[in-house]
Amino acid sequence: MQVASRMEAITPFYVMELLARAKQLEAQGRDIIHMEIGEPDFTTPQPIIDAGVAYIKAGHVKYTPAAGLPELRQKIADYYWQRYRVTVPIQRIFITPGATGAFLLALGVSLNSGDEVLLSDPCYPCNENFIHLFDAKVKHVPVYADTAYQLSADLLQQHWQALTRAILIASPSNPTGTIIQAAELEKCIHFVNTRQGLLYSDEIYHGLEYEPGVTSALAFSDQVFVINSFSKYFGMTGWRVGWLIVPEAYSPATEKLAQNIFISTCSQSQYAALAAFDEQTLAELEKRRQDFSLKRDFLYAHLLRLGFNIPVKPAGAFYIYADCSQFSNDSQQFAQQLLETEGLAVTPGKDFGYNEHEKYLRFAYTGSMENISAGMQRLERFISSKQTS
Amino acid sequence: MQVASRMEAITPFYVMELLARAKQLEAQGRDIIHMEIGEPDFTTPQPIIDAGVAYIKAGHVKYTPAAGLPELRQKIADYYWQRYRVTVPIQRIFITPGATGAFLLALGVSLNSGDEVLLSDPCYPCNENFIHLFDAKVKHVPVYADTAYQLSADLLQQHWQALTRAILIASPSNPTGTIIQAAELEKCIHFVNTRQGLLYSDEIYHGLEYEPGVTSALAFSDQVFVINSFSKYFGMTGWRVGWLIVPEAYSPATEKLAQNIFISTCSQSQYAALAAFDEQTLAELEKRRQDFSLKRDFLYAHLLRLGFNIPVKPAGAFYIYADCSQFSNDSQQFAQQLLETEGLAVTPGKDFGYNEHEKYLRFAYTGSMENISAGMQRLERFISSKQTS
């Protein structure tokens, strides 16, 4: 019995091994500080919880339409108007089981096997693995500080080839936390349009931004795919609800595919998400955003002080991708030792691509300030001991 | 901008047009009886609702492990022992967003593009469309009353060819409600094993059975993929939670794919499903099963009395696939007229394949007995008026 060949191209999350070891250590009584996990420790905002509970208690947890609850699609359309001054007809909006469901639909309706997609390296590995799922090809474009670790129109010009059909931009980015500037995003969209290509814009960290300049690709074109989610900014990770916006020409195919591969997205999560745009929820989310902003500043300052190199200050999401090459030429080994000796878990660069990954560590500031602060003390002690040994 | 070529092969649900027309008529004030919908009107059992609500209220709706909650996987393993006397290690059990998620994983880890899969015709159209999603090929095997509308070892012998790699069996079947006999299932598994092929066993209607003889493919082999779900028997449609059991060799790849394409299944649905195996829940489900059994008997008797031909008495699920060729040689037109003149919605055979589909209508007995009874009165009036006109 043979595993499908696409599975060779799909990489596991290397951090899982580290996480398994962390859990082993915890089971032995060790106190572990987790800065490897991309899930905030905030609870879901209360109005969302209340809406979900009320819906379930009413007792009729039934399928919704495949494209999602019309009233939720409408609220998302309203949000695009309020936030970005962009009009999106609800026919182009599909509710999905998280951003992963949105990627499944977007790539399923638009990529043929053999098509090539340009991705920044580093990038979030799942995004790349969806491309492999459909037997399409990934072309990594190494990105550096000069473009804030984002693709640029110049890079597209250099790397676009005969089989290239699409690009994927994630801003704010996981793992770098950097954003693509609006003018550059517009240029990229223009470039892709001239090549009759597609753009997938991963906007799942929108809202979690601590500098101005975050723009939706929809601000420049209605011929793009936009992936978003209630997981990160809205604090609904475990609920698994997100959305996809498609160019109008793809709406019928997207609906057909959603009918077949989802039937519909989890109903109580959709009804709960109706409360995501309430004034009370948004006020709570703004408080959290400010809190994340403080944590970013704190972590950024500490990592710099300890001697890490962070050429571009992260502007969003909840990650810092720090160059640790002054301490080690093998970030995976560094992360393993840090876990073993100090009980601090961080993610090695290997999970995010091939471009100098051995130089980098990703720190997630998803825990409490006390937690992050204690983590920095452990990191400092670890580095001191390395330097004296 | 071109839609991916796989989307040409993926069919829409034709019943959606009919459903849209039914809703239009309802908006105009017409009273419509729905016998086209594969979703029971029962609510989710109370212990499951309570478990879901308690989990959400606790406030920590976070990601679970990609393979699912270990305690839910364990309960499923226990259930296989209690119900089928089969031992399934939890490493082979994956919690998924409904049976659709289970199909995504099963086919994603095992089918290469170009592989051919044998399917009965008629069959449930989504199953086929998952095969197209991965650019694999569907080969329809027309099935008739002689095999209870199921595949058989003889049919496999006739249709298996060089590119054939797998078969899919759904028992009890949608749309026919028929089951494959245990001895025949065993023969099919033996046949597939001798060809180094794969078997996908769709067991989502297990539990909803009104005759003896329903067996899991796992009773005969641990080298099969079994797809199941909490949707139908356990009354959890909108919750979107199901499971997949894979041969042990596929566990690592399945876990890797689940990490990437789901992150995890909706957490509150998993915690709610923990109560699905409670004594109180199972007692309620047994009552419902008996209720479905009465509805099946009632609908079956009425359709026969009205002159429909149903060569194999359905033994499970909640569908009767009735031959209406004595009234019409175009079941789609029959269904449209039935909706327009009598306000009774049923699904034409076209949604389930190519094999004499114009002869068949699918009746779902998911509504109340009063509803079904009223539907039969309307059907009788419609047929009388056709015969006198």
Side-chain angles (χ1 to χ4, degrees), chain B residues 258-279:
Chain B
Q259 282 174 1
N260 277 285
I261 68 174
F262 304 138
I263 302 182
S264 60
T265 295
C266 185
S267 306
Q268 72 271 25
S269 298
Q270 292 192 62
Y271 278 92
L274 286 173
F277 305 103
D278 286 2
E279 219 171 291

Side-chain angles (χ1 to χ4, degrees), chain A residues 106 109-110 198-201 223-227 244-247 250:
Chain A
V109 297
S110 63
L198 301 173
L199 180 129
Y200 308 110
S201 184
Q223 299 301 306
V224 293
F225 289 85
V226 168
I227 291 101
L244 170 68
I245 297 172
V246 303
Y250 286 89

Side-chain angles (χ1 to χ4, degrees), chain A residues 1-2 4-7 10 39-40 42 62-63 108-109 111-112 129 165 223 238 250 256 260 267 269, chain B residues 1-2 4-7 10 39-40 42 62-63 108-109 111-112 129 165 223 238 250 256 260 267-268:
Chain A
M1 295 181 116
Q2 294 227 321
S5 55
R6 75 178 61 80
M7 294 307 300
I10 294 180
E39 182 173 37
F42 284 124
K62 300 294 183 186
Y63 296 130
V109 297
L111 277 190
N112 284 315
N129 287 334
R165 170 147 167 80
Q223 299 301 306
Y250 286 89
K256 194 168 71 167
N260 276 286
S267 305
S269 298
Chain B
M1 294 182 118
Q2 295 227 320
S5 55
R6 73 179 63 80
M7 294 308 299
I10 294 180
E39 184 173 35
F42 285 123
K62 300 293 181 187
Y63 296 129
V109 296
L111 277 190
N112 284 315
N129 288 333
R165 170 146 168 84
Q223 299 301 306
Y250 287 89
K256 193 169 71 166
N260 277 285
S267 306
Q268 72 271 25

Side-chain angles (χ1 to χ4, degrees), chain A residues 18-321:
Chain A
L18 199 106
L19 192 60
R21 178 63 183 148
K23 289 198 170 165
Q24 215 173 33
L25 292 172
E26 280 173 329
Q28 291 167 14
R30 283 281 297 279
D31 169 51
I32 306 294
I33 293 180
H34 292 277
M35 298 188 74
E36 83 283 33
I37 292 177
E39 182 173 37
D41 66 353
F42 284 124
T43 60
T44 303
Q46 198 60 43
I48 298 176
I49 290 179
D50 293 345
V53 165
Y55 171 72
I56 293 174
K57 278 193 167 169
H60 287 277
V61 183
K62 300 294 183 186
Y63 296 130
T64 71
L69 280 181
E71 50 272 49
L72 184 56
R73 296 165 83 194
Q74 186 58 55
K75 276 182 191 274
I76 290 171
D78 296 345
Y79 185 67
Y80 274 91
W81 175 249
Q82 285 152 21
R83 192 181 147 90
Y84 304 102
R85 295 290 153 194
V86 170
T87 302
V88 188
I90 74 161
Q91 291 74 17
R92 290 174 50 208
I93 304 174
F94 293 84
I95 310 299
T96 57
T100 53
F103 268 106
L104 268 176
L105 282 187
L107 305 196
V109 297
S110 63
L111 277 190
N112 284 315
S113 78
D115 285 349
E116 188 182 82
V117 183
L118 301 185
L119 283 180
S120 71
D121 182 345
C123 71
Y124 180 55
C126 283
N127 293 357
E128 163 174 345
N129 287 334
F130 282 107
I131 298 166
H132 295 305
L133 184 68
F134 294 110
D135 296 320
K137 289 190 166 48
V138 168
K139 184 164 183 197
H140 291 108
V141 177
V143 291
Y144 301 93
D146 62 330
T147 63
Y149 303 103
Q150 291 282 354
L151 293 177
S152 68
D154 282 350
L155 287 170
L156 297 183
Q157 185 80 48
Q158 286 168 43
H159 289 90
W160 190 280
Q161 289 179 321
L163 286 177
T164 311
R165 170 147 167 80
I167 70 167
L168 193 154
I169 288 177
S171 171
S173 147
N174 176 7
T176 65
T178 57
I179 61 177
I180 187 168
Q181 292 305 314
E184 197 61 46
L185 178 58
E186 188 172 14
K187 276 196 226 165
C188 288
I189 291 173
H190 178 72
F191 177 90
V192 169
N193 282 346
T194 61
R195 306 295 172 110
Q196 279 86 51
L198 301 173
L199 180 129
Y200 308 110
S201 184
D202 171 355
E203 304 185 354
I204 68 167
Y205 290 103
H206 274 221
L208 293 171
E209 52 207 53
Y210 322 115
E211 306 286 344
V214 174
T215 326
S216 172
L218 292 166
F220 304 113
S221 171
D222 55 9
Q223 299 301 306
V224 293
F225 289 85
V226 168
I227 291 101
N228 209 327
S229 163
F230 290 99
S231 293
K232 309 294 183 180
Y233 175 57
F234 294 97
M236 294 185 71
T237 50
W239 301 76
R240 311 308 299 119
V241 56
W243 69 88
L244 170 68
I245 297 172
V246 303
E248 198 171 1
Y250 286 89
S251 281
T254 307
E255 177 146 15
K256 194 168 71 167
L257 190 57
Q259 282 174 1
N260 276 286
I261 68 174
F262 303 139
I263 302 184
S264 60
T265 295
C266 184
S267 305
Q268 73 271 23
S269 298
Q270 293 190 64
Y271 278 92
L274 286 172
F277 305 104
D278 286 3
E279 218 170 292
Q280 190 192 336
T281 308
L282 293 174
E284 171 67 24
L285 297 178
E286 172 56 19
K287 262 192 255 166
R288 294 181 181 188
R289 191 192 65 78
Q290 290 174 14
D291 185 87
F292 275 124
S293 180
L294 293 176
K295 288 173 182 168
R296 178 205 56 167
D297 292 343
F298 177 85
L299 180 61
Y300 179 66
H302 269 268
L303 290 173
L304 289 181
R305 185 179 63 79
L306 293 178
F308 287 85
N309 187 22
I310 310 167
V312 185
K313 188 176 184 184
F318 32 61
Y319 308 109
I320 295 182
Y321 200 58

